[in-house]
Amino acid sequence: MVGSLKEFLAEYGNMLLTNVSRSQPLYSPDAEGAFEAAMRERLTKLLRTPFPKQAEAVLALTKGFKVRKHRGLFLTAEMGTGKTMMAISTSFLLCPPKSRTLIMCPGHLVQKWIREIKETIPDAHVVNLNRSGLGMLLELKSTKPTQREYYVLGKEQAKLHYARTSGAASFQHRDHITWTCPRCGSTLDSEPNVRSRRVRCERCKEPLWQADGNRFRRYSKAEYVKRHFPRGKAFNLFIADEVHQYKAGDTAQGQAFAIFCNAAKHTLCLTGTLMGGYSSGLFYLLWRTSPRTMSQIVDYHSIKAFSERYGVTEQVIKTSDKDGRASIGRSSRVTVRERPGISPQILTDLLLERSVFMRLEDVADNLPPFSEYVETVELPSDLAGEYGKFKDALEGEVKRALARGDRSLLGAMLQALLAYPDGARRGEKVLHPTTDDLIAEAPEIPCDVLPKEQRLIEIVQREKEAGRKVLVCLEHTGTRDLIPDLVERLEAAGLKTAALRAT
DNA sequence: GTCACTCATCGTTGCGTTGC
DNA sequence: GCAACGCAACGATGAGTGAC
């Protein structure tokens, strides 16, 4: 195990240096040639131009697809660097004027993608696929692109399918139920497990499940693309936003990602956190975006072998004496599990070749100055006293509950202790989540303006005098709802305030 | 019969989306 | 607005299977 970056570099630095110096980067900002010049010229046709560092990332990705003929590439960039802008610009350079690009993203980002495409690509035809029904896909199937077409789809809409119900015939007897195959009439041992699409009659292989017409009547868009669109030709480019959310092998989202990778000629994966600490998190993403390379390294069904090669595994051997009637024996059980940690070799073997990494610092020159600091404010003495008593009472109750194996108070304790300092004038009560018994109580503290609120008002007034607007984010906006109290005090101080709620 | 291995299942907390 | 659902991430356990 490696503790710090210093230790990491001490252990792996030489190996990394050797491998990196051996590899020839496909794109270098200091050695641009005719290809880059032509692409830079084409970038000027966009409605808004990428920042210089963003343009370099776009050129590198485009070159990876066009020159090195990669099928899938990764853009791993920190929040705020402009992943959306870079992906849209890449699609502009990569795809012909009559082309189709599919974007899968979290549902709340669909409108943002649509807006940014319209602001960036001249004469783009943008379609919101994140609606129920397959109408748009049916139309796509029978037509060819007439311009640069973009289809934006939320990951939930991509995966959601109809519900399944039993396809077996059931017979109610006086005191029990029996099931039979609807095709051959064979008697079944039990009701079929409809969660598995593989459940079939053992005798005639008839599927023993069917669509449940009494629930949501819908069809997964990914499944439709898989069944009705040509492999590798349905879309010129598939952009998977927040791709780390699709890393699992057999979840519905992971399957949808795999289907769209297969349906498109190229796949561009966007994320801020490509590696979540475990090597296995990259296994299916790499298999689905670079199947040819991965097939030379490890079998699709050998995620464990991949973890052993590129990650950290722990082997636990449990032994126990196990005498038989006429023998003396010892049995052991070995379990191998993956632990956090990734070999740097994964960078040189798989990632450097097909990734662009970008940090916020890289585009910092084009962004307004930014700094973060913590402003600490003391609790008023009466509130501090009550907070201490409340905390002690809660801790005692939680310890007693934990001794009984009841962990349900932990969340309540955390939220109550976080909320009381800001909501002191309302008091705080903690009830048991299941029994509703009163666990602990903190009194209301009458206070016109809390010190923290006063400090916030001073900061907002200072910004206002400098001609700047202020965005204030706070927690506890649901059951406790601290927003009205804060708005009231800001307005009393002569500040114009608007509450922006999620719904 | 033993062993190594895979697969399925359960339970937990928190978050977000969908359907009603 | 609420319930249901899906997902991540982890640990634990038991059933089933094939090689030896």
Side-chain angles (χ1 to χ4, degrees):
Chain A
M1 291 287 286
V2 175
S4 64
L5 181 63
K6 196 175 170 185
E7 292 171 53
F8 177 88
L9 289 175
E11 187 164 350
Y12 298 112
N14 285 338
M15 190 258 276
L16 272 175
L17 191 63
T18 308
N19 282 327
V20 169
S21 57
R22 220 170 21 210
S23 69
Q24 292 289 321
L26 178 64
Y27 168 79
S28 169
D30 302 325
E32 292 195 358
F35 177 86
E36 287 84 352
M39 292 298 118
R40 280 193 181 278
E41 167 63 22
R42 205 183 291 177
L43 275 182
T44 61
K45 305 286 189 294
L46 289 172
L47 298 178
R48 53 185 184 135
T49 325
F51 295 139
K53 289 291 179 186
Q54 290 179 327
E56 288 175 4
V58 171
L59 292 180
L61 290 167
T62 309
K63 203 169 179 184
F65 283 127
K66 284 194 162 201
V67 177
R68 194 61 63 88
K69 306 289 182 195
H70 281 302
R71 219 178 122 183
L73 293 176
F74 291 87
L75 172 55
T76 305
E78 286 183 353
M79 194 170 66
T81 49
K83 285 191 287 291
T84 312
M85 173 66 182
M86 288 186 273
I88 293 169
S89 303
T90 304
S91 78
F92 183 73
L93 296 187
L94 178 67
C95 302
K98 292 180 182 178
S99 58
R100 283 179 173 155
T101 298
L102 173 68
I103 293 131
M104 181 162 74
C105 61
H108 63 284
L109 296 178
V110 168
Q111 289 301 332
K112 174 178 179 268
W113 269 97
I114 291 173
R115 188 180 66 243
E116 292 213 24
I117 293 167
K118 286 180 177 171
E119 288 173 354
T120 311
I121 306 288
D123 301 322
H125 177 58
V126 192
V127 177
N128 183 354
L129 269 187
N130 204 40
R131 295 180 177 139
S132 53
L134 294 171
M136 283 311 304
L137 283 178
L138 287 167
E139 199 179 315
L140 268 188
K141 195 183 148 200
S142 56
T143 57
K144 290 193 171 175
T146 55
Q147 59 196 108
R148 289 186 189 275
E149 298 175 5
Y150 290 84
Y151 298 88
V152 188
L153 175 61
K155 64 187 173 75
E156 308 294 334
Q157 280 283 330
K159 75 175 185 210
L160 288 176
H161 212 30
Y162 52 76
R164 287 187 290 274
T165 185
S166 169
S170 64
F171 297 95
Q172 176 72 56
H173 302 273
R174 184 175 296 172
D175 56 353
H176 69 288
I177 303 174
T178 56
W179 290 271
T180 60
C181 170
R183 187 177 179 197
C184 70
S186 300
T187 303
L188 307 172
D189 296 337
S190 60
E191 185 179 15
N193 174 17
V194 297
R195 291 184 75 87
S196 169
R197 278 181 299 171
R198 280 167 286 195
V199 61
R200 289 173 180 270
C201 171
E202 286 182 7
R203 190 166 148 206
C204 70
K205 306 302 177 195
E206 176 77 357
L208 295 175
W209 58 271
Q210 61 183 344
D212 187 347
N214 296 319
R215 300 176 73 188
F216 353 106
R217 300 169 74 91
R218 63 188 176 197
Y219 198 93
S220 151
K221 292 187 172 72
E223 190 69 18
Y224 186 83
V225 167
K226 178 181 161 187
R227 289 177 181 271
H228 300 284
F229 282 71
R231 287 186 63 165
K233 293 178 181 170
F235 299 97
N236 298 73
L237 174 64
F238 166 47
I239 298 174
D241 192 12
E242 305 296 353
V243 77
H244 56 279
Q245 296 181 356
Y246 319 133
K247 68 184 174 190
D250 53 1
T251 62
Q253 290 180 14
Q255 295 288 346
F257 172 72
I259 289 168
F260 292 140
C261 285
N262 274 331
K265 188 176 178 190
H266 296 112
T267 298
L268 175 57
C269 303
L270 313 181
T271 181
T273 50
L274 181 58
M275 288 178 271
Y278 294 85
S279 64
S280 59
L282 281 167
F283 179 77
Y284 292 106
L285 292 179
L286 286 167
W287 246 107
R288 285 162 175 165
T289 52
S290 304
R292 192 170 300 172
T293 306
M294 284 295 280
S295 66
Q296 291 164 6
I297 293 174
V298 65
D299 184 74
Y300 182 79
H301 301 288
S302 303
I303 188 167
K304 203 174 143 194
F306 185 80
S307 299
E308 283 170 356
R309 181 166 176 168
Y310 292 115
V312 176
T313 55
E314 178 186 77
Q315 193 179 48
V316 179
I317 304 171
K318 289 181 185 170
T319 57
S320 60
D321 291 337
K322 194 177 176 184
D323 294 351
R325 280 188 184 180
S327 64
I328 299 171
R330 172 169 288 181
S331 71
S332 64
R333 184 185 179 91
V334 180
T335 51
V336 178
R337 60 173 179 166
E338 190 182 14
R339 305 298 296 166
I342 293 181
S343 160
Q345 198 180 349
I346 201 170
L347 284 169
T348 50
D349 280 7
L350 293 160
L351 292 180
L352 286 183
E353 171 86 353
R354 42 183 62 81
S355 307
V356 169
F357 296 94
M358 184 172 277
R359 302 185 64 183
L360 195 55
E361 292 164 18
D362 295 327
V363 290
D365 292 345
N366 302 99
L367 299 174
F370 174 79
S371 64
E372 288 179 352
Y373 63 94
V374 177
E375 186 86 30
T376 53
V377 181
E378 289 291 320
L379 283 179
S381 57
D382 50 347
L383 176 53
E386 293 300 338
Y387 182 88
K389 285 188 232 166
F390 183 46
K391 180 173 86 76
D392 292 343
L394 259 178
E395 274 183 357
E397 289 295 332
V398 168
K399 280 178 185 167
R400 278 189 281 280
L402 285 174
R404 296 193 302 270
D406 177 6
R407 301 171 62 190
S408 60
L409 284 176
L410 287 168
M413 178 175 85
L414 175 68
Q415 295 304 328
L417 291 177
L418 283 173
Y420 186 49
D422 289 337
R425 63 176 73 87
R426 298 161 182 228
E428 189 71 33
K429 270 185 185 174
V430 176
L431 305 176
H432 194 282
T434 51
T435 63
D436 274 349
D437 292 341
L438 180 65
I439 301 300
E441 191 172 9
E444 296 173 9
I445 309 266
C447 179
D448 186 28
V449 180
L450 288 162
K452 190 171 152 190
E453 291 166 340
Q454 183 55 43
R455 183 70 193 115
L456 178 67
I457 290 168
E458 288 165 14
I459 292 169
V460 177
Q461 280 174 331
R462 187 185 69 204
E463 295 300 309
K464 185 188 170 190
E465 284 163 16
R468 290 192 285 262
K469 295 175 183 174
V470 178
L471 180 67
V472 179
C473 299
L474 68 156
E475 289 186 326
H476 304 295
T477 60
T479 47
R480 294 174 178 87
D481 197 9
L482 302 178
I483 291 178
D485 276 11
L486 192 59
V487 168
E488 191 183 322
R489 276 147 190 82
L490 286 165
E491 289 186 338
L495 295 158
K496 193 177 167 189
T497 313
L500 305 173
R501 291 186 178 274
T503 53

